[in-house]
Amino acid sequence: MVVIQSEDKQRFIDELIDLLKIPTISADSKYNDEVKKGAAWVKNALQKAGCTKTEIFETKGYPVVYGERIIDRKLPTVLVYGHYDVQPPDPVELWDSPPFEPVIKTTKLHQEGAIFARGACDDKGQMFMHIKALELMVNQDKLPCNVKFMIEGEEEVGSDNLELFIRNHKEKLENDVILISDTGMISNTQPSITTGLRGLSYMEVIVTGPNRDLHSGLYGGAVANPINVLSKMITQLHDENNRITIPGFYEGIEEVSDHERLRMAKAPFNLKDYKNKLNIREVSGEKGFSTIERNSIRPTLDVNGIWGGYTGEGAKTVIASKAHAKISMRLVPGQDWEVISDLFKKHFESIAPKSVQVEIIKHHGGQAYVTPTDNIGYQAAHKAYTETFAVEPIPHKGGGSIPIVPLFEDVLGTKSVLMGFGLDSDAIHSPNEHFGLFNFFKGIETIPLFYKHYAALFKKK
Ligand code: BES
Ligand code: MN
Ligand code: MN
């Protein structure tokens, strides 16, 4: 087991804070220079931690940072994936402290303190655990595998350029297993290993009525109001049982076995707590499925943003010419994101009344992924968590998406192990994102044990 000295602990926190200060917002081109600065920071950190070779690869979008420490060709190679880009912090006014000025505070769930900043958990904090774990393994002479790092800067905008990158660098990225900390676990007393990610299809719709904004008195009642129409179209996308009405949407979905559903039902989950924490009186979702199932093994459709007309101060009587919405669908195994995007487009066009025109833009997407538990990667992770938490981790399907993970398997032919250390309550993508120091250091302790057990299991194979 590696040891973390207390002066190292403080230094690790300080270094992470330094990284968190860089606003690497990939979605907003205003931050172009900052995102690139983030890539350079990561390259330097990899170098200092013991990578013997580090490189920055330019892509059509943001650079990919690569690092490696190859100690012996006969030993297995672990490829670490993570991302240094972050989500926009908006709405900034809902943060208790500025998103790029990290502070440490305690919370009910994080009695030992948590770092508050955009990216603290997703994914700078979690990605950085791997860099520090490498540093400790190298310094304490406990690195039992070859290591490669591939840290990207476009995950939060769909990893559009990464597929080509991995296709072009297959040999460089050759590995036996891919290790990722970009998901969560159930709680600090019940660790879990993520065994599934949902796919994603992201759409944007524009509904146009009259060719200009109109006085709502002069024209109201006689001309279709695009915002009214869009709202009605959106409502039609779910039926009374909260099932999605797009024809063919559920076709081909792989059934989850009763055995698996039973296992999911046994995982620690308290509905009352869940509702209390979100301040909602009732949960809502597809009929016939539990809350845990609804947010992991079932597909969904959500409006992420909707705008149009007058939203400024006071009132303005107007019928807007255009209404807009961004709509995403989370997908499960058996659904193909490109097919789903086409089905959405066709259906949305078909339900549009003649009084308006619709334009549909297909944004990014990705396939769902399931990690098997009967491989040495999963087993090594299981042993590692069991040692550091003194509790066996349980498999857990995550509701989020990491588009490159299924492509890793297609292109590089290897499986990913999703060792997340965040909590659902860490507010990723939301105001006041944070990452517990307990979680950060548990991660740094658990990762070297993964390497140890993986190397041992690999040898036995
Ligand atoms: N780290 C998340 C994905 C995640 C979080 C998976 C928690 C499972 C549990 C990742 O950074 C993310 O936010 N992905 C996006 C997808 C992307 C195409 C924008 C997502 O899930 O919305
Ligand atoms: Mn992430
Ligand atoms: Mn994210």
Side-chain angles (χ1 to χ4, degrees), residues 83 85 121-123 155-156 181-183 401-402 428-429:
H83 60 95
D85 65 321
C121 177
D122 184 11
D123 179 40
E155 197 280 339
E156 297 293 7
S181 296
D182 193 23
T183 54
S401 313
I402 309 176
I428 65 171
H429 294 206

Side-chain angles (χ1 to χ4, degrees), residues 1-4 12 78 80 128-145 147 179 181 380-381 383-385 387-388 419 421 440-456:
M1 198 158 162
V2 300
V3 259
I4 320 177
F12 292 178
V78 177
V80 177
F128 194 57
M129 297 181 314
H130 288 267
I131 300 184
K132 293 298 103 176
L134 172 70
E135 178 183 313
L136 293 176
M137 286 188 285
V138 169
N139 290 345
Q140 295 172 27
D141 214 7
K142 282 190 176 134
L143 180 68
C145 303
V147 198
L179 186 59
S181 296
K383 284 175 189 262
Y385 279 94
E387 258 181 82
T388 45
M419 283 177 61
F421 294 91
F440 178 59
F441 290 115
K442 267 290 186 253
I444 298 174
E445 274 172 39
T446 309
I447 291 162
L449 293 169
F450 170 86
Y451 283 78
K452 181 183 105 178
H453 292 298
Y454 187 78

Side-chain angles (χ1 to χ4, degrees), residues 116-364:
F116 283 75
R118 171 57 85 231
C121 177
D122 184 11
D123 179 40
K124 285 173 174 169
Q126 296 214 72
M127 175 270 289
F128 194 57
M129 297 181 314
H130 288 267
I131 300 184
K132 293 298 103 176
L134 172 70
E135 178 183 313
L136 293 176
M137 286 188 285
V138 169
N139 290 345
Q140 295 172 27
D141 214 7
K142 282 190 176 134
L143 180 68
C145 303
N146 302 309
V147 198
K148 295 177 177 176
F149 280 82
M150 185 187 93
I151 312 296
E152 70 150 319
E154 295 190 297
E155 197 280 339
E156 297 293 7
V157 288
S159 303
D160 281 343
N161 299 296
L162 202 59
E163 178 175 357
L164 186 68
F165 179 82
I166 65 172
R167 285 194 191 281
N168 288 342
H169 296 89
K170 267 194 197 167
E171 244 166 74
K172 181 179 271 305
L173 299 172
E174 222 171 27
N175 66 80
D176 295 287
V177 67
I178 298 165
L179 186 59
I180 304 171
S181 296
D182 193 23
T183 54
M185 56 178 191
I186 291 175
S187 74
N188 283 354
T189 50
Q190 179 55 71
S192 57
I193 301 172
T194 304
T195 51
L197 294 168
R198 286 195 283 191
L200 183 76
S201 157
Y202 205 105
M203 316 292 292
E204 180 167 341
V205 301
I206 304 160
V207 174
T208 307
N211 58 3
R212 58 183 172 89
D213 288 9
L214 304 173
H215 187 289
S216 69
L218 285 177
Y219 291 92
V223 174
N225 177 329
I227 301 177
N228 294 13
V229 172
L230 173 60
S231 309
K232 196 166 167 186
M233 289 171 75
I234 287 170
T235 338
Q236 285 172 50
L237 298 174
H238 288 96
D239 70 11
E240 65 282 9
N241 294 323
N242 270 319
R243 278 177 69 86
I244 293 149
T245 55
I246 300 169
F249 185 82
Y250 292 96
E251 225 162 80
I253 288 183
E254 286 170 26
E255 283 257 354
V256 175
S257 67
D258 289 345
H259 172 77
E260 172 82 5
R261 288 182 73 182
L262 204 70
R263 204 182 47 65
M264 290 179 74
K266 284 197 196 130
F269 177 75
N270 183 315
L271 188 60
K272 216 172 138 194
D273 261 14
Y274 185 83
K275 291 195 278 195
N276 280 343
K277 279 196 192 123
L278 298 173
N279 199 16
I280 51 174
R281 274 182 302 160
E282 203 41 88
V283 290
S284 156
E286 188 182 353
K287 198 176 167 186
F289 294 93
S290 68
T291 296
I292 297 194
E293 290 170 343
R294 286 169 178 171
N295 71 20
S296 64
I297 58 163
R298 296 301 297 164
T300 59
L301 182 152
D302 278 292
V303 178
N304 296 261
I306 180 162
W307 70 103
Y310 184 70
T311 55
E313 197 183 329
K316 179 186 179 194
T317 47
V318 66
I319 294 175
S321 164
K322 285 180 192 297
H324 309 248
K326 295 201 193 253
I327 299 175
S328 70
M329 291 164 280
R330 294 283 168 179
L331 310 175
V332 298
Q335 290 178 302
D336 179 276
W337 77 269
E338 292 182 276
V339 171
I340 294 289
S341 299
D342 287 337
L343 290 177
F344 175 94
K345 183 170 190 295
K346 214 169 118 196
H347 179 64
F348 208 72
E349 282 165 353
S350 81
I351 62 172
K354 263 205 182 125
S355 51
V356 297
Q357 284 173 31
V358 296
E359 185 192 337
I360 294 164
I361 303 165
K362 293 187 222 168
H363 287 288
H364 56 261

Side-chain angles (χ1 to χ4, degrees), residues 30 378 425:
K30 266 208 312 283
Y378 185 88
S425 52

